Amino acid sequence: MKERNYRNGELPDLDQQLESLPDESGHRDQKKKEQGKSRTRRPDGEPKRKAARSSQRDGQGRQKEAQAERSGASKKKEKRMTNKELTRVTYIFVTLFLVLMGYLVYFNVVKSKEVVNSTYNIRQDLLADRVLRGSITDKNGEVLAQTVTNDDGSETREYPDGEVFAHVVGYAAKGKSGLESSQNFNLLTSNAFFLEKLANEFKDQKNTGDTVVTTLDANLQNAAYNALGDNKGAVVVMEPSTGKILAMVSKPSFDPNNVSENWDALNNDENSSLLNRATLGQYTPGSTFKLVTTLAFMRQNPDYNNYSFECNGEFSQNGATIHCYNSTAHGEENLTDSVANSCNSSFSNIGLQLDKAEWRKTAKQMLFNSKLPGDVKYNESSFRLKTDAGDADTMMTAIGQGETQVSPYHMAMIVSAIANGGKLMKPYLVDKITNYAGTTVKKYMPESCKELMTSSEAAQLTEYMKAVVDYGTGAALSGASYTVAGKTGTAEVSEDGNTVHSWFVGFSNVDNPELAISVCVEDADTATITGVSVAKQVFDSYYNN
């Protein structure tokens, strides 16, 4: 651009020049508009590509969303799986905890006493080092076992009655048996006054163990022991309303004072003197089992009062013949007469009419093939008649022969239940635990165990058992100052029938039963001793002395 020189007074009019210049801003605006129009004008394919890109972006978005959903579902599934596994583990641990707690409760309630009293429990030896073994007495305080300290400081366990209580009280040398075993922990526990125990600790003296007061009645025990004489056998006497065991005798017996000296001889004794026949003996029940057969017949035949049978002294069926005692013909009998006369012919006939499965069920309810209640050691009684048994086995079983086996202890329970309106009370031997000064530490109360039969069934059986004494095979017990209901039994245990066990089971003071008794005399010479004669001596000692 060329420069111009102006002279003074020749300056141009600037305003006019500015007005003559083109409008640059408008030019710029117009240019922007043209550029904007040029940008909006695209080739024909551009909108399609834009739509495709938009569709692609949408597809990719949906795919990402689907992937996100799948990822979320997978995480939720994994979370659910984890929760299930945690739940299973929790259930397992809770179950194990409950099982453990249940076993601890079971152990403390059921097994702890057995473990504590086990001869393998060395804790007992530690207790014996600090405690003088306590005494065992009968219900009236008569001492049955006690420990005496000799001048040289040694201790001797004494049994004042010798053989009379040998099996039920037991021994504490060469191991332990009877109450000496089952009550071992109580006998070696001292609940003496704590100041006295503290003083004994300082003086290095033993504390005196607690006293076990039993339910046994020394008078009844001696009567039962004497009644058996020199015969083998057993007697059990119970109080039906409570379950208290008042007497338990087994013969032959032994002297617990001399167990250590005679240990080898006692273990090799062919008469098994150490065996408590009352609870461990297994005997053919003979006609005492007719009580069970009668109950089964009553349950299967509601019209049992209409039963009738003509006895001519024997009964035959399919080549098998059963004879009544001495082949006595009893003539026409109803069910009461059949029980009273202990008629083998009638009961053979009854047995053949019974449904064997139901008969087995009744025997089971009467505790055959079952555990027996109580804390004494025992053998289970057995009822082995099969549902497909032949007529001979069926008839033999009905009269108490065959393979049926029972203990005197078990039969005592059965008649106790009958005497107690069908309800069996749990048998027990310990009335209470006291400290040596006589203060009661623990008292044992009667417990209802099981209803063996209904009260109406028990009442009906009682009527049958009364007939046994009134005019039947137990008539030797009638006419006394007390009343008796019972059932006799003569079990043949040799092929020739000459060797028999003589039984009696029953209860006294029928309207308000006081004593239930079970007697079994092994290999009895029935001309001189029977179950009835033994029971009578026991009853007489109770009511007449």
Side-chain angles (χ1 to χ4, degrees), residues 197-214:
K197 293 167 69 173
L198 184 62
N200 287 336
E201 289 290 336
F202 282 106
K203 293 186 290 185
D204 195 26
Q205 294 180 352
K206 288 186 175 183
N207 297 305
T208 303
D210 291 341
T211 298
V212 174
V213 180
T214 70

Side-chain angles (χ1 to χ4, degrees), residues 317 365 369 428 482 543:
Q317 183 76 16
Q365 291 171 341
N369 307 323
Y428 67 108
Y482 49 87
Y543 290 103

Side-chain angles (χ1 to χ4, degrees), residues 5-196:
N5 294 322
Y6 294 98
R7 297 176 183 172
N8 292 334
E10 292 182 357
L11 291 172
D13 189 349
L14 293 176
D15 291 334
Q16 291 179 353
Q17 290 183 10
L18 288 171
E19 288 179 357
S20 65
L21 288 175
D23 189 352
E24 291 293 335
S25 62
H27 176 72
R28 285 193 298 271
D29 292 342
Q30 182 66 27
K31 189 173 181 180
K32 287 179 180 179
K33 289 179 180 180
E34 291 178 355
Q35 289 176 351
K37 290 179 180 180
S38 66
R39 281 197 300 269
T40 58
R41 287 194 297 268
R42 304 282 184 188
D44 292 342
E46 187 65 23
K48 295 180 179 179
R49 286 194 295 272
K50 181 178 179 182
R53 285 194 298 273
S54 176
S55 176
Q56 184 177 6
R57 284 195 299 272
D58 291 343
Q60 291 174 348
R62 285 192 296 272
Q63 186 176 5
K64 289 180 179 180
E65 289 177 1
Q67 289 177 349
E69 289 178 0
R70 286 193 295 271
S71 176
S74 177
K75 289 179 179 179
K76 288 180 180 179
K77 185 176 181 180
E78 290 177 1
K79 187 175 182 180
R80 284 196 299 270
M81 291 286 289
T82 302
N83 289 340
K84 286 183 179 178
E85 292 173 356
L86 289 174
T87 301
R88 290 193 190 102
V89 172
T90 301
Y91 283 152
I92 291 171
F93 276 99
V94 169
T95 301
L96 290 174
F97 176 77
L98 292 175
V99 170
L100 177 61
M101 293 302 296
Y103 180 76
L104 288 175
V105 171
Y106 167 77
F107 179 84
N108 280 287
V109 173
V110 179
K111 302 292 289 184
S112 60
K113 185 177 180 181
E114 179 182 333
V115 172
V116 166
N117 286 311
S118 171
T119 54
Y120 297 102
N121 185 2
I122 61 173
R123 183 186 176 191
Q124 295 182 15
D125 297 329
L126 299 177
L127 292 173
D129 291 338
R130 296 185 290 108
V131 178
L132 183 70
R133 191 174 186 83
S135 300
I136 300 175
T137 73
D138 86 332
K139 68 175 189 175
N140 297 315
E142 181 175 326
V143 175
L144 308 180
Q146 63 183 353
T147 297
V148 176
T149 303
N150 304 313
D151 294 337
D152 60 359
S154 62
E155 297 171 1
T156 302
R157 192 67 169 170
E158 291 185 350
Y159 302 89
D161 291 284
E163 295 186 359
V164 178
F165 290 88
H167 294 93
V168 63
V169 170
Y171 52 81
K174 297 291 185 177
K176 296 176 181 65
S177 69
L179 289 169
E180 290 279 33
S181 175
S182 64
Q183 296 299 312
N184 190 51
F185 183 73
N186 289 323
L187 293 167
L188 289 175
T189 300
S190 178
N191 282 283
F193 187 54
F194 78 97
L195 290 178
E196 179 183 344

Side-chain angles (χ1 to χ4, degrees), residues 247-260:
M248 182 178 284
V249 173
S250 176
K251 280 195 168 183
S253 190
F254 62 94
D255 189 348
N257 292 294
N258 303 319
V259 166
S260 295

